[in-house]
Amino acid sequence: MKPLFFVGLLAVACSATVTQADDRPNIIVIMSDDMGFSDIGCYGGEIQTPNLDRMAANGVRFTQFYNTARCCPTRASLLTGLYPHQAGVGHMMEDRNRPGYKGNLNKNCRTMAEALRPAGYRSYAVGKWHVTRSTSADGPKENWPLQRGFDRFYGTITGAGSFFDPSTLVKDNTMISPFADPEYQPKTYYYTDAISEYGSRFIKEHAKKNADQPFMMYVTYTAAHWPMHALPEDIAKYRGKYSAGYEAIRKARFEKAVKLGLIDPMQGMVSGTGDWDAVKNKEFEEACMEVYAAMIDRMDQGIGQIIKSLEATKQLDNTLILFMQDNGGCAEGMGRTPNKTHPDGPRPGKPVYPPLKNTDLGNGGIVPDQTRDGFPVRMGPNVIPGGADTYVAYGRDWATVSNTPFREYKHWVHEGGISTPLIAYWPKKINGDRTGKLVKSPAHLIDIMATCVDLGQAKYPTEVDGNKITPLEGVSLAPAFAGQELQRTNPLFWEHEGNRAVRAGDWKLVSKYRGPWELYNIAKDRVELNNLADKMPEKVKELATQYDQYAKRALVVDWAEFTPKKKNNPKKK
């Protein structure tokens, strides 16, 4: 790369890790959707992820990296380096008339692309966006990717949908049909493949047209979020792999993760999977996990395609690739019960609805009623998932397997809801005796932006267009790449739907909505089974005070304000 002007350093930067401006890396941030801590091979899973495993073997893995337990808040936090409420996305894509819950990125934050652009970076985004309420083709676009600093975008503005016919698909600033894109006409459209293809294209185009600039790329797969959709050839790899049932797979993952050094065998696992012998329709249950595994497998293939594009354009050596997940495994029961619109049972012999044109936008939204060729989208325990006319989630018991060995799921801020792999791969800087190492220091999504600003030698602003910019919350992860300690002085915090937590050193204070505080020593009890709250009230008080101070400055509102307690209304688990 040609030299670029010096633009200053972020206060959190570690000077020992920052090199000359012409040596700045490209940065690729990859995020998957609704996956658990143990799903990929290099974190204990049996799913075939050779490309991620290769990155781990030639990079570093973080054993205590955290997300925010839910898709929208995680993306807001990752993109901005702030806690999600500070960015305006304290919950999902609805305006709750509170500054921290507007359902839109606010003007007091900067995205990674906006922060790196003044430093000379070009930025690309592919995949799921999901940080704006404006999702229509003719609506406002001030929070679409190109308006938030990215130079190119291909992906979906909303958060979920058919993998064979995604809704709200956008190319740069224009909403398009996946079947009316003159530049991409595969034999079978599959969204995971499209994300990988456009990511690879942007890399090649950058090398051809903008080789004098470094680039940042934000790659956000929807795999393995429901619906369980996968290609037949990938599903075939996993036929029969899950016939032993939930607990057998879970134990095998635990043993592998122990051998890899990722978890402490003395802490054991939480209980909670269902009784496999009592499962009535084992064909359905096995198929759910087979398709889930196939979705992850295909994503890994796509990551391999992106890496090959870097190799082909001679950009791999000085590219930092970070891989993580947006929340823990998902226990939601989407599609596991039929309804009037989405029937159970086999596919009808002929279409039920009028077919859609290839030029028609979307296909009925996040949960479509029909396929593009007119067949009803089916749900229920007699619907074997995988095809475009099915819409099923893999269920709580397989989510427990995904989150091995931790407690709880997506939505909650116990370890199962917020623990994610983080793989950092950077051949030029993470090499020699650092490859394959584990980083055990706690880290968080808020640290990714700080890392980008540090390594990109960007100056993070205090004001933009008259709007005060909220200071970054995270610290650069660059020291950990070199085997040094992170320069963190503040605790880490979480709030989602009234589920709360604070992590200070080895201590974690956590509670479910409307539940009491629980206290755990994570160094000894990361599976959160030995609640010390009654034995250590002063520690509870200390951490609770820190949480209250965080909540006040970070625009967190008591969730009870949004969900008034009703008589005889059972508490949500």
Side-chain angles (χ1 to χ4, degrees):
M1 295 178 185
K2 296 179 182 178
L4 293 168
F5 59 89
F6 179 79
V7 291
L9 298 175
L10 178 68
V12 299
C14 175
S15 59
T17 66
V18 177
T19 55
Q20 298 301 312
D22 60 358
D23 198 32
R24 296 177 300 162
N26 304 313
I27 302 170
I28 299 180
V29 177
I30 303 175
M31 174 172 279
S32 67
D33 204 343
D34 277 16
M35 286 172 55
F37 181 79
S38 71
D39 280 326
I40 62 177
C42 53
Y43 276 78
E46 71 293 328
I47 300 172
Q48 296 176 35
T49 55
N51 293 293
L52 288 171
D53 295 352
R54 194 175 303 116
M55 285 169 53
N58 293 281
V60 296
R61 280 168 294 169
F62 287 68
T63 65
Q64 297 189 73
F65 191 75
Y66 291 114
N67 50 47
T68 72
R70 192 77 176 277
C71 43
C72 299
T74 278
R75 281 160 178 75
S77 188
L78 174 60
L79 279 166
T80 67
L82 305 176
Y83 288 107
H85 311 77
Q86 294 171 305
V89 189
H91 189 236
M92 300 292 282
M93 296 293 91
E94 73 285 342
D95 186 352
R96 293 179 177 271
N97 199 30
R98 296 290 183 273
Y101 301 81
K102 301 297 287 185
N104 255 332
L105 292 181
N106 60 36
K107 295 181 180 180
N108 305 110
C109 66
R110 297 275 87 188
T111 68
M112 291 184 287
E114 289 171 322
L116 289 175
R117 175 176 277 179
Y121 274 74
R122 282 183 63 82
S123 295
Y124 308 92
V126 286
K128 175 175 173 176
W129 186 240
H130 211 199
V131 285
T132 180
R133 298 194 311 273
S134 303
T135 61
S136 64
D138 55 357
K141 298 178 180 178
E142 70 271 11
N143 266 321
W144 283 26
L146 266 61
Q147 282 67 42
R148 295 307 305 238
F150 289 93
D151 295 288
R152 296 293 310 276
F153 173 65
Y154 177 91
T156 44
I157 295 297
T158 50
S162 172
F163 282 73
F164 296 102
D165 193 1
S167 60
T168 69
L169 186 66
V170 169
K171 187 174 181 181
D172 290 328
N173 239 14
T174 303
M175 195 167 285
I176 62 169
S177 162
F179 302 99
D181 181 353
E183 294 184 306
Y184 183 60
Q185 289 289 314
K187 183 178 180 181
T188 299
Y189 184 93
Y190 185 65
Y191 188 34
T192 299
D193 285 354
I195 292 171
S196 303
E197 173 65 24
Y198 267 94
S200 298
R201 288 186 182 199
F202 290 161
I203 288 169
K204 293 173 183 177
E205 288 175 8
H206 181 89
K208 185 176 181 179
K209 299 178 181 179
N210 305 99
D212 60 338
Q213 294 177 260
F215 73 84
M216 187 277 291
M217 188 162 72
Y218 178 63
V219 182
T220 49
Y221 288 99
T222 51
H225 195 292
W226 48 255
M228 299 295 100
H229 282 174
L231 297 170
E233 59 266 34
D234 295 319
I235 298 173
K237 297 180 185 179
Y238 296 94
R239 290 295 186 211
K241 295 289 187 181
Y242 297 100
S243 60
Y246 315 122
E247 199 61 20
I249 303 300
R250 193 163 171 251
K251 288 180 179 177
R253 289 187 175 198
F254 180 85
E255 291 171 1
K256 183 177 178 182
V258 167
K259 290 180 180 178
L260 292 171
L262 295 163
I263 58 176
D264 180 357
M266 301 304 293
Q267 295 188 27
M269 291 190 294
V270 295
S271 59
T273 54
D275 181 358
W276 185 251
D277 292 334
V279 173
K280 294 180 180 179
N281 190 343
K282 288 187 172 63
E283 180 186 10
F284 171 77
E285 281 297 307
E286 288 180 43
C288 285
M289 192 61 189
E290 289 167 0
V291 177
Y292 178 84
M295 296 167 76
I296 295 171
D297 187 310
R298 195 70 177 197
M299 177 190 68
D300 183 82
Q301 294 175 47
I303 293 171
Q305 179 182 348
I306 288 172
I307 292 173
K308 287 179 181 177
S309 297
L310 292 168
E311 291 175 326
T313 55
K314 299 184 179 356
Q315 298 179 95
L316 178 61
D317 190 49
N318 197 29
T319 297
L320 168 63
I321 306 177
L322 300 168
F323 172 84
M324 68 209 75
Q325 299 161 185
D326 69 341
N327 45 247
C330 176
E332 296 165 358
M334 169 62 73
R336 295 174 70 85
T337 302
N339 56 49
K340 291 182 180 179
T341 309
H342 299 90
D344 198 355
R347 176 186 174 96
K350 60 182 180 179
V352 174
Y353 300 96
L356 302 176
K357 298 176 181 178
N358 280 348
T359 54
D360 288 340
L361 293 177
N363 187 19
I366 291 177
V367 187
D369 293 338
Q370 68 167 91
T371 61
R372 192 164 284 260
D373 56 0
F375 286 88
V377 173
R378 298 169 294 131
M379 297 179 176
N382 296 302
V383 174
I384 300 301
D389 64 333
T390 69
Y391 211 97
V392 175
Y394 76 156
R396 179 179 293 267
D397 290 315
W398 288 122
T400 304
V401 174
S402 287
N403 291 340
T404 302
F406 303 130
R407 178 181 166 193
E408 297 302 337
Y409 315 90
K410 172 184 176 181
H411 294 268
W412 291 278
V413 296
H414 286 76
E415 292 292 287
I418 59 176
S419 295
T420 165
L422 175 65
I423 302 170
Y425 173 64
W426 185 7
K428 187 171 184 177
K429 294 294 181 181
I430 305 175
N431 51 39
D433 61 3
R434 285 299 297 158
T435 58
K437 297 296 185 183
L438 301 178
V439 178
K440 298 188 176 182
S441 300
H444 188 285
L445 293 167
I446 56 175
D447 301 327
I448 302 300
M449 167 70 110
T451 306
C452 291
V453 173
D454 174 4
L455 297 176
Q457 297 184 7
K459 183 176 176 60
Y460 188 77
T462 58
E463 185 176 304
V464 174
D465 296 332
N467 298 301
K468 291 184 178 180
I469 302 301
T470 306
L472 291 180
E473 291 280 352
V475 302
S476 175
L477 300 178
F481 303 159
Q484 303 167 10
E485 290 297 317
L486 299 180
Q487 305 302 306
R488 191 183 311 282
T489 56
N490 294 324
L492 298 171
F493 300 97
W494 293 264
E495 190 279 335
H496 183 67
E497 296 180 335
N499 303 301
R500 309 168 293 166
V502 51
R503 171 82 190 263
D506 289 335
W507 292 103
K508 182 180 177 184
L509 192 68
V510 60
S511 76
K512 292 184 178 181
Y513 176 45
R514 288 192 170 129
W517 283 117
E518 304 165 18
L519 178 67
Y520 300 101
N521 184 327
I522 296 299
K524 298 179 180 179
D525 182 27
R526 193 176 173 194
V527 292
E528 299 170 311
L529 292 176
N530 184 23
N531 182 5
L532 302 173
D534 289 342
K535 296 179 180 178
M536 304 183 69
E538 290 304 314
K539 177 59 72 174
V540 171
K541 182 178 179 181
E542 173 193 338
L543 296 178
T545 297
Q546 291 178 319
Y547 176 85
D548 290 342
Q549 292 169 345
Y550 147 78
K552 183 177 180 179
R553 70 174 175 79
L555 308 178
V556 176
V557 171
D558 186 344
W559 193 244
E561 181 176 328
F562 304 131
T563 56
K565 194 172 183 180
K566 298 179 181 179
K567 291 183 179 181
N568 301 319
N569 184 31
K571 294 180 180 178
K572 178 183 176 182
K573 182 182 176 185

